[in-house]
Amino acid sequence: MEFCDECGSMMHSQEGVWVCGSCGFEKARDADSEADMVTTEGQDTDSGPVDMSEVDDAEIGPTTTVNCPNCGHDRARYEMKQIRAADESETRFFTCVECDHKWREDDH
């Protein structure tokens, strides 16, 4: 990956030179420095869905003490995701270990 010396945008390769898509700046490619670059070309980036059918529920994520609004059980698996702006808290997603009911909690 190469970045433009003029505006800082990411450049792309075109006919032996690096070209900035934002400002048009061009610079020659350097085979020695490119040898150290890492690319995703040829890598398997999507190996398909993961089969979780034979994984014990106890092995899927951490659990916490929280009451399920559906069945009242007191344990649930949880995960936290940043779905709003970065300066706001994460949203907690729960799945009851008893009835598989799913719900979420946000800080208000």
Side-chain angles (χ1 to χ4, degrees):
M1 189 177 307
E2 190 69 33
F3 294 94
C4 179
D5 295 337
E6 297 294 316
C7 72
S9 295
M10 190 168 60
M11 301 179 83
H12 63 275
S13 176
Q14 183 177 339
E15 299 176 11
V17 296
W18 289 108
V19 180
C20 177
S22 297
C23 72
F25 177 76
E26 295 183 7
K27 69 179 176 181
R29 291 181 60 176
D30 179 8
D32 291 334
S33 66
E34 289 178 26
D36 294 330
M37 291 182 182
V38 177
T39 69
T40 58
E41 190 173 305
Q43 294 180 3
D44 181 14
T45 57
D46 183 13
S47 56
V50 177
D51 180 10
M52 300 292 285
S53 61
E54 295 191 22
V55 177
D56 183 13
D57 281 348
E59 297 176 17
I60 303 175
T63 62
T64 188
T65 302
V66 62
N67 288 325
C68 172
N70 189 52
C71 72
H73 191 74
D74 67 346
R75 296 293 297 167
R77 288 185 304 279
Y78 72 93
E79 61 181 312
M80 299 178 75
K81 293 185 180 179
Q82 187 72 39
I83 61 172
R84 296 175 288 165
D87 64 341
E88 297 186 40
S89 62
E90 295 176 312
T91 301
R92 293 173 300 280
F93 292 90
F94 297 98
T95 304
C96 178
V97 297
E98 187 68 25
C99 71
D100 283 332
H101 177 70
K102 297 177 181 355
W103 74 99
R104 65 189 250 182
E105 284 183 4
D106 296 309
D107 287 337
H108 298 285

